Amino acid sequence: MSKLRVAVLGARGRMGSEAVRAVGAADDLELVAELGRGDRLETLTETGAQVAIDLTHPDAVMDNLEFCVRHGIHGVVGTTGFTGERLDLLRTWLAGSPGTGVLIAPNFGIGAVLTMHFAQQAARFFESVEVVELHHPHKADAPSGTAVRTAQLIARARADAKLPAQPDATSTALEGARGADVDGVPVHAVRLRGLVAHQEVLFGDEGEIFTLRHDSMNRGSFMPGVLLGVRRVTGTPGLTLGLEHFMDLDG
Ligand SMILES: NC(=O)C1=CN([C@@H]2O[C@H](COP(=O)(O)OP(=O)(O)OC[C@H]3O[C@@H](n4cnc5c(N)ncnc54)[C@H](O)[C@@H]3O)[C@@H](O)[C@H]2O)C=CC1
Ligand SMILES: O=C(O)C1=N[C@H](C(=O)O)C[C@H](O)C1
C-alpha cells in the first residue's frame, strides 16, 4: 500500500521538530516536506503532500490553511488562536473544496483531551469551576487554546443544565486577579520556567472539591495524537474541532 504523503509546517520549532521525527518514524507515512518561516507554500503541491501538519504561529496559520484547502491538501492543525470568526472563514474555504478535511486540535495530548471530556461531564454537578493552565515561558498566547476550549465546553454544559452564574462576591480587584472570563468561566494562565504544558480544572460545591489535572512532561506526549489526526483526517471531509472526534470516546 502506498504511504500517505505528509508535510510539516513550522518544522524547526519545538513541536514541529518533534512531528518531523514522529512522521519520519511511522511506517505508513512519508515525510515529503519540512517548511519553516519564509519557505514557499508551493513546495506542498510540488512534493505532492496529501496532509499538512501546521505547528506554526497564530499569525501564520490562516494563510497556510487557505493555501492547503484551496489545493485539496488536508490539514492537521495544532497551532492556537482560533476565534469563531477564523473558524467561520475556514468553513467557507472548506465548502469550496469538498472532500478536503481539516482537524483543529487545541491539544493533541490524549490525557488533555480526556480532561476536556471529563470536565464537560462534571460541569453540571458543581456550583463553581475555574480553569488554571500552566506553561513554559516561551508560549506566545494566553490563555492556552486548550484552556479556552475547556472553558467553552464547561460553559456550554452549564448552560444546557440551566445552572446560574457562579457565586463570586468580588467587588474590588487588581486587574487580572480573577483571570480571563471565558463564557463566564474564570481562566488563569501561569508561565514558569521548567514547565511544558499543564492544566487543572477545579470544581467546587458545598463541602467538596473535585480536581482534574493533566501534565504533558515533554512534546513527545503530543505525537500519538498528531499521528492519529493525520491518519483519520483524510477520511473526514470538512472541519473537525477537537481530537476527541477521532477517539471514539462514546464507544
Ligand atoms: N495542539 C497541541 O497539542 C499543541 C499546540 N501547540 C501550539 O503549536 C504552535 C507552535 O508551538 P511551538 O512549537 O511551541 O512554537 P515554536 O515557536 O517553537 O515553533 C513555531 C515554528 O513555526 C515557525 N513559523 C512561523 N511562521 C511560519 C510559517 N508561516 N510557515 C512555517 N513556519 C513558520 C517558526 O519559525 C517556528 O520555528 C503554538 O501555537 C502552540 O500553542 C504547542 C504544543 C502542543
Ligand atoms: O504552546 C504550547 O506549548 C501549547 N499549546 C497548546 C495550547 O495553547 O493549548 C497545547 C498545549 O497546551 C501546549
Side-chain angles (χ1 to χ4, degrees):
M1 219 171 76
S2 63
K3 295 185 179 189
L4 195 57
R5 300 169 68 79
V6 180
V8 177
L9 306 181
R12 291 184 277 282
R14 287 178 288 267
M15 278 290 282
S17 51
E18 210 48 75
V20 162
R21 266 192 295 279
V23 171
D27 290 341
D28 57 332
L29 308 179
E30 182 182 355
L31 181 68
V32 296
E34 299 174 39
L35 270 58
R37 191 198 302 268
D39 289 345
R40 296 166 56 250
L41 287 172
E42 288 74 19
T43 306
L44 298 176
T45 43
E46 289 161 8
T47 56
Q50 295 167 284
V51 179
I53 303 171
D54 191 296
L55 296 161
T56 60
H57 190 280
D59 294 344
V61 64
M62 291 305 281
D63 287 347
N64 294 342
L65 277 176
E66 186 175 17
F67 181 93
C68 288
V69 173
R70 194 150 35 86
H71 291 89
I73 300 169
H74 306 283
V76 170
V77 181
T79 308
T80 43
F82 279 87
T83 58
E85 292 75 36
R86 284 184 167 209
L87 293 173
D88 287 344
L89 187 56
L90 178 54
R91 284 189 187 96
T92 62
W93 296 339
L94 284 163
S97 183
T100 306
V102 171
L103 165 69
I104 307 286
N107 203 307
F108 288 112
I110 300 299
V113 176
L114 291 175
T115 303
M116 288 186 259
H117 184 69
F118 296 146
Q120 202 177 357
Q121 291 182 326
R124 70 191 164 96
F125 297 105
F126 293 90
E127 213 180 347
S128 300
V129 56
E130 307 226 353
V131 177
V132 185
E133 57 94 330
L134 310 91
H135 281 83
H136 59 91
H138 301 290
K139 186 164 176 55
D141 54 316
S144 71
T146 306
V148 171
R149 178 84 178 137
T150 305
Q152 289 169 340
L153 293 171
I154 290 168
R156 196 195 301 159
R158 286 177 66 93
D160 288 348
K162 301 197 173 10
L163 293 194
Q166 305 196 46
D168 182 358
T170 309
S171 59
T172 172
L174 276 183
E175 195 185 334
R178 294 290 293 115
D181 181 325
V182 179
D183 298 346
V185 178
V187 178
H188 310 268
V190 176
R191 296 291 173 265
L192 207 66
R193 177 82 59 210
L195 293 176
V196 178
H198 317 258
Q199 177 165 285
E200 284 191 0
V201 186
L202 310 170
F203 292 100
D205 214 301
E206 193 56 44
E208 67 172 329
I209 301 295
F210 175 55
T211 305
L212 291 169
R213 180 172 173 118
H214 175 258
D215 298 276
S216 273
M217 312 303 286
N218 57 50
R219 291 178 180 82
S221 67
F222 299 113
M223 294 306 126
V226 170
L227 297 183
L228 174 65
V230 168
R231 291 176 178 128
R232 291 287 295 267
V233 76
T234 57
T236 316
L239 177 63
T240 301
L241 189 53
L243 189 68
E244 62 272 24
H245 298 290
F246 292 171
M247 285 169 60
D248 307 323
L249 287 179
D250 296 322

